[in-house]
Amino acid sequence: MESSVTHLNEAESASPGISPGVVNDDEVILRELYEPYHICNDTLKLTSVSLTELRETGFSVHRKTYVNLDVIRNAIKMRLSRIRKEPWMSAGVAEILTMDVRKIVDANNDRLLVVIDTATDTNRGHASIYASQPEKGDAHARKVRTYLMELLSKRKSLEEVYHHA
């Protein structure tokens, strides 16, 4: 299967010229979470991590160092304003240390996930998480997803995340 991933090399930015640089291990990344799309009855849903995101488009996160509270509030406001069959509500953010994503390995000690700098014109702190071996297909991506979901289960309010600001 052909992937639309720009690259999976964490040592190079996917957005040179826009980006503050590659994502470092000691960076905190944030993932917005919404009810009922990601969370149902206070439980993270299995489908909250899309296999397509992991294999092809990237699982979007914010690099906390490069985004402020207003950037995330605006992103949340934009997503909540979309018309849907079932309206979404903000359920906070997952706060994850990049190193924790990168240290997830399989039985052969091969890395399962990569964190790529994917800055945009409107969000220089954008990054994406990908399965490190998207060519292995959906069955492999399902296994990878379970590890990422463990990290997403530790969610906080934006106020908790930016308490020091």
Side-chain angles (χ1 to χ4, degrees), residues 110-147:
D110 292 326
R111 294 244 329 266
L112 296 178
L113 295 162
V114 295
V115 183
I116 305 293
D117 160 49
T118 52
T120 67
D121 289 330
T122 58
N123 183 353
R124 71 185 295 258
H126 188 271
S128 298
I129 299 172
Y130 290 96
S132 61
Q133 300 172 49
E135 70 280 358
K136 286 193 171 182
D138 283 349
H140 179 73
R142 281 186 195 93
K143 290 178 189 175
V144 171
R145 172 174 61 190
T146 61
Y147 294 107

PDB file of all heavy atoms in Angstrom, residues 110-147:
ATOM      1  N   ASP A 110      12.381  -3.225  18.013  1.00  0.00           N
ATOM      2  CA  ASP A 110      12.176  -2.268  16.932  1.00  0.00           C
ATOM      3  C   ASP A 110      11.144  -1.238  17.379  1.00  0.00           C
ATOM      4  O   ASP A 110      10.105  -1.598  17.950  1.00  0.00           O
ATOM      5  CB  ASP A 110      11.660  -2.964  15.661  1.00  0.00           C
ATOM      6  CG  ASP A 110      12.700  -3.882  15.040  1.00  0.00           C
ATOM      7  OD1 ASP A 110      13.908  -3.555  15.119  1.00  0.00           O
ATOM      8  OD2 ASP A 110      12.293  -4.923  14.479  1.00  0.00           O
ATOM      9  N   ARG A 111      11.412   0.027  17.112  1.00  0.00           N
ATOM     10  CA  ARG A 111      10.491   1.101  17.470  1.00  0.00           C
ATOM     11  C   ARG A 111       9.184   0.954  16.714  1.00  0.00           C
ATOM     12  O   ARG A 111       9.173   0.641  15.529  1.00  0.00           O
ATOM     13  CB  ARG A 111      11.117   2.462  17.143  1.00  0.00           C
ATOM     14  CG  ARG A 111      12.333   2.795  17.967  1.00  0.00           C
ATOM     15  CD  ARG A 111      12.193   3.988  18.862  1.00  0.00           C
ATOM     16  NE  ARG A 111      11.338   5.029  18.401  1.00  0.00           N
ATOM     17  CZ  ARG A 111      11.737   6.101  17.715  1.00  0.00           C
ATOM     18  NH1 ARG A 111      12.992   6.267  17.413  1.00  0.00           N
ATOM     19  NH2 ARG A 111      10.870   7.004  17.361  1.00  0.00           N
ATOM     20  N   LEU A 112       8.074   1.220  17.399  1.00  0.00           N
ATOM     21  CA  LEU A 112       6.760   1.094  16.786  1.00  0.00           C
ATOM     22  C   LEU A 112       6.182   2.429  16.318  1.00  0.00           C
ATOM     23  O   LEU A 112       5.328   2.454  15.438  1.00  0.00           O
ATOM     24  CB  LEU A 112       5.790   0.428  17.754  1.00  0.00           C
ATOM     25  CG  LEU A 112       6.127  -1.018  18.125  1.00  0.00           C
ATOM     26  CD1 LEU A 112       5.126  -1.559  19.131  1.00  0.00           C
ATOM     27  CD2 LEU A 112       6.172  -1.890  16.886  1.00  0.00           C
ATOM     28  N   LEU A 113       6.629   3.531  16.919  1.00  0.00           N
ATOM     29  CA  LEU A 113       6.075   4.845  16.598  1.00  0.00           C
ATOM     30  C   LEU A 113       7.187   5.864  16.398  1.00  0.00           C
ATOM     31  O   LEU A 113       8.246   5.769  17.021  1.00  0.00           O
ATOM     32  CB  LEU A 113       5.164   5.331  17.738  1.00  0.00           C
ATOM     33  CG  LEU A 113       3.901   4.515  17.981  1.00  0.00           C
ATOM     34  CD1 LEU A 113       3.329   4.808  19.361  1.00  0.00           C
ATOM     35  CD2 LEU A 113       2.858   4.810  16.913  1.00  0.00           C
ATOM     36  N   VAL A 114       6.925   6.829  15.544  1.00  0.00           N
ATOM     37  CA  VAL A 114       7.835   7.952  15.347  1.00  0.00           C
ATOM     38  C   VAL A 114       7.051   9.243  15.536  1.00  0.00           C
ATOM     39  O   VAL A 114       5.840   9.285  15.311  1.00  0.00           O
ATOM     40  CB  VAL A 114       8.518   7.935  13.958  1.00  0.00           C
ATOM     41  CG1 VAL A 114       9.434   6.729  13.819  1.00  0.00           C
ATOM     42  CG2 VAL A 114       7.508   7.975  12.833  1.00  0.00           C
ATOM     43  N   VAL A 115       7.758  10.294  15.959  1.00  0.00           N
ATOM     44  CA  VAL A 115       7.153  11.612  16.133  1.00  0.00           C
ATOM     45  C   VAL A 115       7.883  12.562  15.196  1.00  0.00           C
ATOM     46  O   VAL A 115       9.081  12.788  15.349  1.00  0.00           O
ATOM     47  CB  VAL A 115       7.250  12.108  17.588  1.00  0.00           C
ATOM     48  CG1 VAL A 115       6.540  13.449  17.742  1.00  0.00           C
ATOM     49  CG2 VAL A 115       6.678  11.080  18.556  1.00  0.00           C
ATOM     50  N   ILE A 116       7.138  13.079  14.228  1.00  0.00           N
ATOM     51  CA  ILE A 116       7.700  13.907  13.161  1.00  0.00           C
ATOM     52  C   ILE A 116       7.215  15.349  13.305  1.00  0.00           C
ATOM     53  O   ILE A 116       6.030  15.585  13.552  1.00  0.00           O
ATOM     54  CB  ILE A 116       7.247  13.373  11.770  1.00  0.00           C
ATOM     55  CG1 ILE A 116       7.593  11.898  11.595  1.00  0.00           C
ATOM     56  CG2 ILE A 116       7.818  14.228  10.642  1.00  0.00           C
ATOM     57  CD1 ILE A 116       9.047  11.583  11.530  1.00  0.00           C
ATOM     58  N   ASP A 117       8.118  16.281  13.129  1.00  0.00           N
ATOM     59  CA  ASP A 117       7.763  17.691  13.072  1.00  0.00           C
ATOM     60  C   ASP A 117       7.006  17.936  11.769  1.00  0.00           C
ATOM     61  O   ASP A 117       7.533  17.690  10.689  1.00  0.00           O
ATOM     62  CB  ASP A 117       9.043  18.528  13.116  1.00  0.00           C
ATOM     63  CG  ASP A 117       8.820  19.917  12.592  1.00  0.00           C
ATOM     64  OD1 ASP A 117       7.856  20.548  13.039  1.00  0.00           O
ATOM     65  OD2 ASP A 117       9.598  20.363  11.734  1.00  0.00           O
ATOM     66  N   THR A 118       5.763  18.368  11.874  1.00  0.00           N
ATOM     67  CA  THR A 118       4.940  18.654  10.695  1.00  0.00           C
ATOM     68  C   THR A 118       4.299  20.035  10.835  1.00  0.00           C
ATOM     69  O   THR A 118       3.083  20.191  10.698  1.00  0.00           O
ATOM     70  CB  THR A 118       3.859  17.568  10.485  1.00  0.00           C
ATOM     71  OG1 THR A 118       3.137  17.391  11.721  1.00  0.00           O
ATOM     72  CG2 THR A 118       4.464  16.242  10.061  1.00  0.00           C
ATOM     73  N   ALA A 119       5.114  21.022  11.145  1.00  0.00           N
ATOM     74  CA  ALA A 119       4.632  22.393  11.338  1.00  0.00           C
ATOM     75  C   ALA A 119       3.860  22.867  10.112  1.00  0.00           C
ATOM     76  O   ALA A 119       4.127  22.440   8.990  1.00  0.00           O
ATOM     77  CB  ALA A 119       5.815  23.319  11.597  1.00  0.00           C
ATOM     78  N   THR A 120       2.898  23.751  10.373  1.00  0.00           N
ATOM     79  CA  THR A 120       2.121  24.352   9.291  1.00  0.00           C
ATOM     80  C   THR A 120       2.252  25.876   9.379  1.00  0.00           C
ATOM     81  O   THR A 120       2.749  26.405  10.378  1.00  0.00           O
ATOM     82  CB  THR A 120       0.628  23.975   9.387  1.00  0.00           C
ATOM     83  OG1 THR A 120       0.074  24.584  10.573  1.00  0.00           O
ATOM     84  CG2 THR A 120       0.429  22.475   9.434  1.00  0.00           C
ATOM     85  N   ASP A 121       1.775  26.553   8.364  1.00  0.00           N
ATOM     86  CA  ASP A 121       1.797  28.023   8.387  1.00  0.00           C
ATOM     87  C   ASP A 121       1.036  28.584   9.579  1.00  0.00           C
ATOM     88  O   ASP A 121       1.400  29.612  10.126  1.00  0.00           O
ATOM     89  CB  ASP A 121       1.194  28.596   7.101  1.00  0.00           C
ATOM     90  CG  ASP A 121       2.093  28.382   5.899  1.00  0.00           C
ATOM     91  OD1 ASP A 121       3.330  28.339   6.069  1.00  0.00           O
ATOM     92  OD2 ASP A 121       1.560  28.256   4.781  1.00  0.00           O
ATOM     93  N   THR A 122      -0.028  27.912   9.971  1.00  0.00           N
ATOM     94  CA  THR A 122      -0.860  28.406  11.068  1.00  0.00           C
ATOM     95  C   THR A 122      -0.532  27.786  12.417  1.00  0.00           C
ATOM     96  O   THR A 122      -1.036  28.237  13.436  1.00  0.00           O
ATOM     97  CB  THR A 122      -2.354  28.175  10.761  1.00  0.00           C
ATOM     98  OG1 THR A 122      -2.572  26.783  10.542  1.00  0.00           O
ATOM     99  CG2 THR A 122      -2.785  28.972   9.535  1.00  0.00           C
ATOM    100  N   ASN A 123       0.290  26.737  12.430  1.00  0.00           N
ATOM    101  CA  ASN A 123       0.666  26.102  13.693  1.00  0.00           C
ATOM    102  C   ASN A 123       2.095  25.566  13.594  1.00  0.00           C
ATOM    103  O   ASN A 123       2.318  24.423  13.208  1.00  0.00           O
ATOM    104  CB  ASN A 123      -0.307  24.972  14.041  1.00  0.00           C
ATOM    105  CG  ASN A 123      -0.004  24.333  15.384  1.00  0.00           C
ATOM    106  OD1 ASN A 123       1.001  24.629  16.032  1.00  0.00           O
ATOM    107  ND2 ASN A 123      -0.879  23.446  15.808  1.00  0.00           N
ATOM    108  N   ARG A 124       3.046  26.391  13.952  1.00  0.00           N
ATOM    109  CA  ARG A 124       4.450  25.976  13.867  1.00  0.00           C
ATOM    110  C   ARG A 124       4.775  24.904  14.895  1.00  0.00           C
ATOM    111  O   ARG A 124       5.811  24.256  14.820  1.00  0.00           O
ATOM    112  CB  ARG A 124       5.383  27.174  13.961  1.00  0.00           C
ATOM    113  CG  ARG A 124       5.462  27.827  15.315  1.00  0.00           C
ATOM    114  CD  ARG A 124       6.312  29.093  15.287  1.00  0.00           C
ATOM    115  NE  ARG A 124       7.709  28.857  14.986  1.00  0.00           N
ATOM    116  CZ  ARG A 124       8.684  28.847  15.893  1.00  0.00           C
ATOM    117  NH1 ARG A 124       8.399  29.090  17.154  1.00  0.00           N
ATOM    118  NH2 ARG A 124       9.918  28.621  15.537  1.00  0.00           N
ATOM    119  N   GLY A 125       3.891  24.673  15.844  1.00  0.00           N
ATOM    120  CA  GLY A 125       4.096  23.647  16.852  1.00  0.00           C
ATOM    121  C   GLY A 125       3.370  22.346  16.545  1.00  0.00           C
ATOM    122  O   GLY A 125       3.187  21.510  17.418  1.00  0.00           O
ATOM    123  N   HIS A 126       2.964  22.140  15.304  1.00  0.00           N
ATOM    124  CA  HIS A 126       2.262  20.915  14.936  1.00  0.00           C
ATOM    125  C   HIS A 126       3.274  19.785  14.734  1.00  0.00           C
ATOM    126  O   HIS A 126       4.349  19.987  14.186  1.00  0.00           O
ATOM    127  CB  HIS A 126       1.458  21.113  13.650  1.00  0.00           C
ATOM    128  CG  HIS A 126       0.568  19.961  13.326  1.00  0.00           C
ATOM    129  ND1 HIS A 126       0.985  18.888  12.576  1.00  0.00           N
ATOM    130  CD2 HIS A 126      -0.709  19.715  13.674  1.00  0.00           C
ATOM    131  CE1 HIS A 126      -0.015  18.019  12.476  1.00  0.00           C
ATOM    132  NE2 HIS A 126      -1.057  18.507  13.132  1.00  0.00           N
ATOM    133  N   ALA A 127       2.914  18.603  15.204  1.00  0.00           N
ATOM    134  CA  ALA A 127       3.720  17.399  14.979  1.00  0.00           C
ATOM    135  C   ALA A 127       2.754  16.255  14.713  1.00  0.00           C
ATOM    136  O   ALA A 127       1.546  16.378  14.936  1.00  0.00           O
ATOM    137  CB  ALA A 127       4.611  17.104  16.185  1.00  0.00           C
ATOM    138  N   SER A 128       3.289  15.152  14.237  1.00  0.00           N
ATOM    139  CA  SER A 128       2.457  13.993  13.925  1.00  0.00           C
ATOM    140  C   SER A 128       3.135  12.725  14.404  1.00  0.00           C
ATOM    141  O   SER A 128       4.357  12.584  14.307  1.00  0.00           O
ATOM    142  CB  SER A 128       2.221  13.893  12.416  1.00  0.00           C
ATOM    143  OG  SER A 128       1.539  15.029  11.945  1.00  0.00           O
ATOM    144  N   ILE A 129       2.316  11.814  14.892  1.00  0.00           N
ATOM    145  CA  ILE A 129       2.791  10.492  15.302  1.00  0.00           C
ATOM    146  C   ILE A 129       2.380   9.505  14.218  1.00  0.00           C
ATOM    147  O   ILE A 129       1.229   9.519  13.768  1.00  0.00           O
ATOM    148  CB  ILE A 129       2.190  10.074  16.659  1.00  0.00           C
ATOM    149  CG1 ILE A 129       2.606  11.076  17.753  1.00  0.00           C
ATOM    150  CG2 ILE A 129       2.606   8.648  17.022  1.00  0.00           C
ATOM    151  CD1 ILE A 129       1.912  10.848  19.090  1.00  0.00           C
ATOM    152  N   TYR A 130       3.333   8.688  13.802  1.00  0.00           N
ATOM    153  CA  TYR A 130       3.079   7.663  12.782  1.00  0.00           C
ATOM    154  C   TYR A 130       3.557   6.301  13.283  1.00  0.00           C
ATOM    155  O   TYR A 130       4.516   6.228  14.064  1.00  0.00           O
ATOM    156  CB  TYR A 130       3.883   7.951  11.507  1.00  0.00           C
ATOM    157  CG  TYR A 130       3.437   9.129  10.711  1.00  0.00           C
ATOM    158  CD1 TYR A 130       4.050  10.361  10.858  1.00  0.00           C
ATOM    159  CD2 TYR A 130       2.419   9.009   9.766  1.00  0.00           C
ATOM    160  CE1 TYR A 130       3.662  11.450  10.098  1.00  0.00           C
ATOM    161  CE2 TYR A 130       2.031  10.096   8.998  1.00  0.00           C
ATOM    162  CZ  TYR A 130       2.658  11.311   9.173  1.00  0.00           C
ATOM    163  OH  TYR A 130       2.268  12.390   8.417  1.00  0.00           O
ATOM    164  N   ALA A 131       2.930   5.251  12.776  1.00  0.00           N
ATOM    165  CA  ALA A 131       3.488   3.914  12.945  1.00  0.00           C
ATOM    166  C   ALA A 131       4.806   3.901  12.181  1.00  0.00           C
ATOM    167  O   ALA A 131       4.878   4.406  11.062  1.00  0.00           O
ATOM    168  CB  ALA A 131       2.533   2.861  12.390  1.00  0.00           C
ATOM    169  N   SER A 132       5.851   3.362  12.779  1.00  0.00           N
ATOM    170  CA  SER A 132       7.169   3.397  12.143  1.00  0.00           C
ATOM    171  C   SER A 132       7.256   2.470  10.928  1.00  0.00           C
ATOM    172  O   SER A 132       8.131   2.643  10.089  1.00  0.00           O
ATOM    173  CB  SER A 132       8.258   3.037  13.151  1.00  0.00           C
ATOM    174  OG  SER A 132       8.042   1.732  13.648  1.00  0.00           O
ATOM    175  N   GLN A 133       6.328   1.517  10.842  1.00  0.00           N
ATOM    176  CA  GLN A 133       6.321   0.580   9.725  1.00  0.00           C
ATOM    177  C   GLN A 133       4.903   0.475   9.148  1.00  0.00           C
ATOM    178  O   GLN A 133       4.246  -0.557   9.270  1.00  0.00           O
ATOM    179  CB  GLN A 133       6.810  -0.790  10.194  1.00  0.00           C
ATOM    180  CG  GLN A 133       8.223  -0.758  10.752  1.00  0.00           C
ATOM    181  CD  GLN A 133       8.609  -2.074  11.384  1.00  0.00           C
ATOM    182  OE1 GLN A 133       8.428  -3.131  10.791  1.00  0.00           O
ATOM    183  NE2 GLN A 133       9.130  -2.013  12.592  1.00  0.00           N
ATOM    184  N   PRO A 134       4.436   1.545   8.496  1.00  0.00           N
ATOM    185  CA  PRO A 134       3.054   1.554   7.999  1.00  0.00           C
ATOM    186  C   PRO A 134       2.767   0.473   6.965  1.00  0.00           C
ATOM    187  O   PRO A 134       1.623   0.044   6.803  1.00  0.00           O
ATOM    188  CB  PRO A 134       2.897   2.946   7.397  1.00  0.00           C
ATOM    189  CG  PRO A 134       4.277   3.417   7.124  1.00  0.00           C
ATOM    190  CD  PRO A 134       5.155   2.762   8.143  1.00  0.00           C
ATOM    191  N   GLU A 135       3.799   0.014   6.308  1.00  0.00           N
ATOM    192  CA  GLU A 135       3.615  -1.018   5.277  1.00  0.00           C
ATOM    193  C   GLU A 135       3.165  -2.353   5.858  1.00  0.00           C
ATOM    194  O   GLU A 135       2.707  -3.233   5.121  1.00  0.00           O
ATOM    195  CB  GLU A 135       4.920  -1.192   4.475  1.00  0.00           C
ATOM    196  CG  GLU A 135       6.063  -1.828   5.231  1.00  0.00           C
ATOM    197  CD  GLU A 135       6.845  -0.903   6.170  1.00  0.00           C
ATOM    198  OE1 GLU A 135       6.548   0.297   6.255  1.00  0.00           O
ATOM    199  OE2 GLU A 135       7.757  -1.403   6.835  1.00  0.00           O
ATOM    200  N   LYS A 136       3.244  -2.523   7.165  1.00  0.00           N
ATOM    201  CA  LYS A 136       2.826  -3.785   7.793  1.00  0.00           C
ATOM    202  C   LYS A 136       1.309  -3.942   7.880  1.00  0.00           C
ATOM    203  O   LYS A 136       0.828  -4.990   8.264  1.00  0.00           O
ATOM    204  CB  LYS A 136       3.455  -3.920   9.180  1.00  0.00           C
ATOM    205  CG  LYS A 136       4.923  -4.248   9.130  1.00  0.00           C
ATOM    206  CD  LYS A 136       5.415  -4.668  10.487  1.00  0.00           C
ATOM    207  CE  LYS A 136       6.826  -5.219  10.424  1.00  0.00           C
ATOM    208  NZ  LYS A 136       7.263  -5.675  11.740  1.00  0.00           N
ATOM    209  N   GLY A 137       0.556  -2.894   7.550  1.00  0.00           N
ATOM    210  CA  GLY A 137      -0.890  -3.012   7.446  1.00  0.00           C
ATOM    211  C   GLY A 137      -1.663  -2.730   8.717  1.00  0.00           C
ATOM    212  O   GLY A 137      -1.106  -2.371   9.757  1.00  0.00           O
ATOM    213  N   ASP A 138      -2.982  -2.922   8.604  1.00  0.00           N
ATOM    214  CA  ASP A 138      -3.889  -2.575   9.698  1.00  0.00           C
ATOM    215  C   ASP A 138      -3.728  -3.447  10.933  1.00  0.00           C
ATOM    216  O   ASP A 138      -3.864  -2.955  12.050  1.00  0.00           O
ATOM    217  CB  ASP A 138      -5.344  -2.628   9.222  1.00  0.00           C
ATOM    218  CG  ASP A 138      -5.738  -1.416   8.389  1.00  0.00           C
ATOM    219  OD1 ASP A 138      -4.955  -0.436   8.347  1.00  0.00           O
ATOM    220  OD2 ASP A 138      -6.819  -1.455   7.778  1.00  0.00           O
ATOM    221  N   ALA A 139      -3.454  -4.722  10.765  1.00  0.00           N
ATOM    222  CA  ALA A 139      -3.307  -5.597  11.933  1.00  0.00           C
ATOM    223  C   ALA A 139      -2.158  -5.101  12.808  1.00  0.00           C
ATOM    224  O   ALA A 139      -2.289  -5.023  14.036  1.00  0.00           O
ATOM    225  CB  ALA A 139      -3.073  -7.042  11.503  1.00  0.00           C
ATOM    226  N   HIS A 140      -1.063  -4.743  12.188  1.00  0.00           N
ATOM    227  CA  HIS A 140       0.083  -4.205  12.928  1.00  0.00           C
ATOM    228  C   HIS A 140      -0.276  -2.858  13.556  1.00  0.00           C
ATOM    229  O   HIS A 140       0.036  -2.596  14.722  1.00  0.00           O
ATOM    230  CB  HIS A 140       1.295  -4.070  12.006  1.00  0.00           C
ATOM    231  CG  HIS A 140       2.492  -3.509  12.680  1.00  0.00           C
ATOM    232  ND1 HIS A 140       3.230  -4.226  13.586  1.00  0.00           N
ATOM    233  CD2 HIS A 140       3.072  -2.290  12.596  1.00  0.00           C
ATOM    234  CE1 HIS A 140       4.225  -3.488  14.029  1.00  0.00           C
ATOM    235  NE2 HIS A 140       4.149  -2.304  13.446  1.00  0.00           N
ATOM    236  N   ALA A 141      -0.948  -2.005  12.795  1.00  0.00           N
ATOM    237  CA  ALA A 141      -1.342  -0.687  13.299  1.00  0.00           C
ATOM    238  C   ALA A 141      -2.271  -0.819  14.509  1.00  0.00           C
ATOM    239  O   ALA A 141      -2.201  -0.011  15.436  1.00  0.00           O
ATOM    240  CB  ALA A 141      -1.998   0.131  12.197  1.00  0.00           C
ATOM    241  N   ARG A 142      -3.125  -1.843  14.525  1.00  0.00           N
ATOM    242  CA  ARG A 142      -4.010  -2.062  15.682  1.00  0.00           C
ATOM    243  C   ARG A 142      -3.195  -2.350  16.939  1.00  0.00           C
ATOM    244  O   ARG A 142      -3.511  -1.862  18.021  1.00  0.00           O
ATOM    245  CB  ARG A 142      -4.969  -3.217  15.410  1.00  0.00           C
ATOM    246  CG  ARG A 142      -6.138  -2.844  14.559  1.00  0.00           C
ATOM    247  CD  ARG A 142      -7.142  -3.992  14.431  1.00  0.00           C
ATOM    248  NE  ARG A 142      -8.060  -3.723  13.350  1.00  0.00           N
ATOM    249  CZ  ARG A 142      -7.893  -4.140  12.082  1.00  0.00           C
ATOM    250  NH1 ARG A 142      -6.867  -4.893  11.758  1.00  0.00           N
ATOM    251  NH2 ARG A 142      -8.763  -3.818  11.162  1.00  0.00           N
ATOM    252  N   LYS A 143      -2.145  -3.141  16.806  1.00  0.00           N
ATOM    253  CA  LYS A 143      -1.275  -3.437  17.952  1.00  0.00           C
ATOM    254  C   LYS A 143      -0.578  -2.168  18.427  1.00  0.00           C
ATOM    255  O   LYS A 143      -0.505  -1.891  19.626  1.00  0.00           O
ATOM    256  CB  LYS A 143      -0.233  -4.491  17.578  1.00  0.00           C
ATOM    257  CG  LYS A 143      -0.802  -5.859  17.375  1.00  0.00           C
ATOM    258  CD  LYS A 143       0.285  -6.838  16.966  1.00  0.00           C
ATOM    259  CE  LYS A 143      -0.317  -8.162  16.555  1.00  0.00           C
ATOM    260  NZ  LYS A 143       0.691  -9.090  16.049  1.00  0.00           N
ATOM    261  N   VAL A 144      -0.067  -1.393  17.476  1.00  0.00           N
ATOM    262  CA  VAL A 144       0.628  -0.144  17.799  1.00  0.00           C
ATOM    263  C   VAL A 144      -0.324   0.816  18.512  1.00  0.00           C
ATOM    264  O   VAL A 144       0.040   1.477  19.484  1.00  0.00           O
ATOM    265  CB  VAL A 144       1.207   0.489  16.509  1.00  0.00           C
ATOM    266  CG1 VAL A 144       1.726   1.881  16.763  1.00  0.00           C
ATOM    267  CG2 VAL A 144       2.294  -0.404  15.920  1.00  0.00           C
ATOM    268  N   ARG A 145      -1.556   0.868  18.037  1.00  0.00           N
ATOM    269  CA  ARG A 145      -2.563   1.760  18.615  1.00  0.00           C
ATOM    270  C   ARG A 145      -2.765   1.501  20.106  1.00  0.00           C
ATOM    271  O   ARG A 145      -2.932   2.442  20.886  1.00  0.00           O
ATOM    272  CB  ARG A 145      -3.878   1.588  17.850  1.00  0.00           C
ATOM    273  CG  ARG A 145      -5.035   2.318  18.487  1.00  0.00           C
ATOM    274  CD  ARG A 145      -6.287   2.276  17.661  1.00  0.00           C
ATOM    275  NE  ARG A 145      -6.805   0.946  17.418  1.00  0.00           N
ATOM    276  CZ  ARG A 145      -7.785   0.685  16.560  1.00  0.00           C
ATOM    277  NH1 ARG A 145      -8.345   1.651  15.864  1.00  0.00           N
ATOM    278  NH2 ARG A 145      -8.214  -0.532  16.396  1.00  0.00           N
ATOM    279  N   THR A 146      -2.754   0.257  20.524  1.00  0.00           N
ATOM    280  CA  THR A 146      -3.004  -0.038  21.941  1.00  0.00           C
ATOM    281  C   THR A 146      -1.951   0.605  22.838  1.00  0.00           C
ATOM    282  O   THR A 146      -2.269   1.069  23.927  1.00  0.00           O
ATOM    283  CB  THR A 146      -3.054  -1.560  22.209  1.00  0.00           C
ATOM    284  OG1 THR A 146      -1.806  -2.145  21.859  1.00  0.00           O
ATOM    285  CG2 THR A 146      -4.184  -2.219  21.445  1.00  0.00           C
ATOM    286  N   TYR A 147      -0.720   0.654  22.382  1.00  0.00           N
ATOM    287  CA  TYR A 147       0.341   1.286  23.177  1.00  0.00           C
ATOM    288  C   TYR A 147       0.138   2.795  23.256  1.00  0.00           C
ATOM    289  O   TYR A 147       0.322   3.405  24.314  1.00  0.00           O
ATOM    290  CB  TYR A 147       1.718   0.986  22.580  1.00  0.00           C
ATOM    291  CG  TYR A 147       2.089  -0.468  22.646  1.00  0.00           C
ATOM    292  CD1 TYR A 147       2.090  -1.254  21.498  1.00  0.00           C
ATOM    293  CD2 TYR A 147       2.436  -1.064  23.857  1.00  0.00           C
ATOM    294  CE1 TYR A 147       2.434  -2.597  21.556  1.00  0.00           C
ATOM    295  CE2 TYR A 147       2.775  -2.406  23.922  1.00  0.00           C
ATOM    296  CZ  TYR A 147       2.772  -3.171  22.765  1.00  0.00           C
ATOM    297  OH  TYR A 147       3.108  -4.497  22.822  1.00  0.00           O
TER     298      TYR A 147
END
